[in-house]
Amino acid sequence: AFQTQLLSNDGHNPLMKKVFDIHLAFLKNGQSEAALKHVFASLRAFISKFPSVFFKGRVNMCAALCYEILKCCTSKVSSTRNEASALLYLLMRNNFEFTKRRTFLRTHLQIIIAVSQLIADVALSGGTRFQDSLLIINNFANSDRPMKATAFPSEVKDLTKRIRTVLMATAQMKEHEKDPEMLIDLQYSLAKSYASTPELRKTWLDSMAKIHVKNGDFSEAAMCYVHVAALVAEFLHRK
């Protein structure tokens, strides 16, 4: 009934924010397994109904959804993991269809950023469970008949490979968590490897700053924030 209002300004409006926040609240606060099944079904319908809001409007809704779905991908409950993996796959597929089967770059980027943030927030526990979810997503891509002749399956494979690279770098970080200098070095090299992706570089610089503040190294944290500011300024100047 309120589709016109919800879609105004490509979803960047107070009404859409409220509706979306209610959907997201169900994922943020623990639900029963049965309730979550309905939440995921509702989110699938929501993505299909308002694709432009996720793939054309401002990036914050796609980013928030990716973050919460990825958290569910590490759930101890296998049905929740399966549902979350299917929803994430649907998000990628719908993004691919939305760009007339060219790419799903926005979702790709937001998933990598969400993984990096989850690691920085120490919310990505259950590594093997997360690997299982990645495997489910890959299997979806390989068995999706209508997508066989497109670049989609290989793009999905590339995304899961990139996520594994980030996870491996994190495993190394865990080994050195008692050695702050080594830890920062690893984070710095990860930030540098994303030089071509400003959003990701910013995520890792923010994460470095957090560790510096925790260790009481305030001038180093300030340097990270100056780098972030320079990165944002450079990006805006180019735009």
Side-chain angles (χ1 to χ4, degrees):
F2 294 93
Q3 193 150 5
T4 318
Q5 292 93 316
L6 283 164
L7 281 171
S8 79
N9 200 7
D10 280 326
H12 186 65
N13 60 71
L15 186 63
M16 178 53 94
K17 187 183 184 313
K18 281 179 181 171
V19 173
F20 179 67
D21 285 350
I22 290 166
H23 277 79
L24 217 56
F26 282 106
L27 286 186
K28 284 181 174 175
N29 309 305
Q31 307 294 330
S32 71
E33 195 178 342
L36 268 177
K37 273 202 161 95
H38 296 290
V39 172
F40 282 117
S42 185
L43 280 165
R44 286 197 295 273
F46 194 71
I47 293 164
S48 301
K49 206 174 180 73
F50 302 109
S52 65
V53 171
F54 291 98
F55 312 129
K56 186 181 168 200
R58 297 196 179 190
V59 83
N60 48 350
M61 275 175 63
C62 186
L65 186 61
C66 286
Y67 185 86
E68 294 305 329
I69 298 173
L70 281 163
K71 261 164 82 174
C72 294
C73 283
T74 68
S75 166
K76 287 176 181 166
V77 183
S78 64
S79 69
T80 302
R81 280 201 313 274
N82 291 342
E83 290 274 5
S85 304
L87 183 62
L88 201 60
Y89 179 75
L90 180 84
L91 195 66
M92 294 184 222
R93 196 182 191 279
N94 279 24
N95 192 176
F96 191 70
E97 293 285 11
F98 187 79
T99 62
K100 298 195 168 45
R101 297 194 165 191
R102 282 198 303 274
T103 178
F104 63 95
L105 188 63
R106 172 174 283 197
T107 309
H108 180 130
L109 204 54
Q110 292 315 315
I111 289 171
I112 296 273
I113 290 170
V115 169
S116 308
Q117 276 172 344
L118 283 164
I119 290 163
D121 301 344
V122 198
L124 200 62
S125 49
T128 51
R129 294 197 292 271
F130 187 56
Q131 296 282 7
D132 288 347
S133 297
L134 291 180
L135 199 64
I136 292 167
I137 291 166
N138 256 333
N139 289 341
F140 273 135
N142 292 332
S143 57
D144 194 342
R145 271 218 166 103
M147 289 290 153
K148 274 272 194 290
T150 69
F152 186 68
S154 61
E155 279 195 38
V156 172
K157 200 175 174 183
D158 176 54
L159 172 61
T160 50
K161 207 166 126 190
R162 275 172 186 253
I163 293 172
R164 286 198 182 97
T165 308
V166 174
L167 291 174
M168 271 163 62
T170 314
Q172 280 183 299
M173 285 178 201
K174 260 208 155 11
E175 282 172 38
H176 298 288
E177 60 189 345
K178 301 268 188 293
D179 180 354
E181 265 118 26
M182 188 65 188
L183 182 64
I184 290 290
D185 270 353
L186 281 165
Q187 290 233 330
Y188 178 66
S189 61
L190 207 55
K192 239 169 62 172
S193 71
Y194 287 114
S196 59
T197 315
E199 291 100 323
L200 274 174
R201 189 160 158 75
K202 180 189 174 299
T203 302
W204 284 106
L205 286 166
D206 279 336
S207 171
M208 276 167 71
K210 273 186 200 167
I211 294 169
H212 280 313
V213 170
K214 208 165 114 190
N215 297 333
D217 301 329
F218 298 112
S219 58
E220 284 85 345
M223 284 295 283
C224 288
Y225 288 129
V226 169
H227 267 290
V228 169
L231 194 67
V232 172
E234 196 181 316
F235 186 66
L236 290 173
H237 179 67
R238 272 194 216 154
K239 280 193 100 176

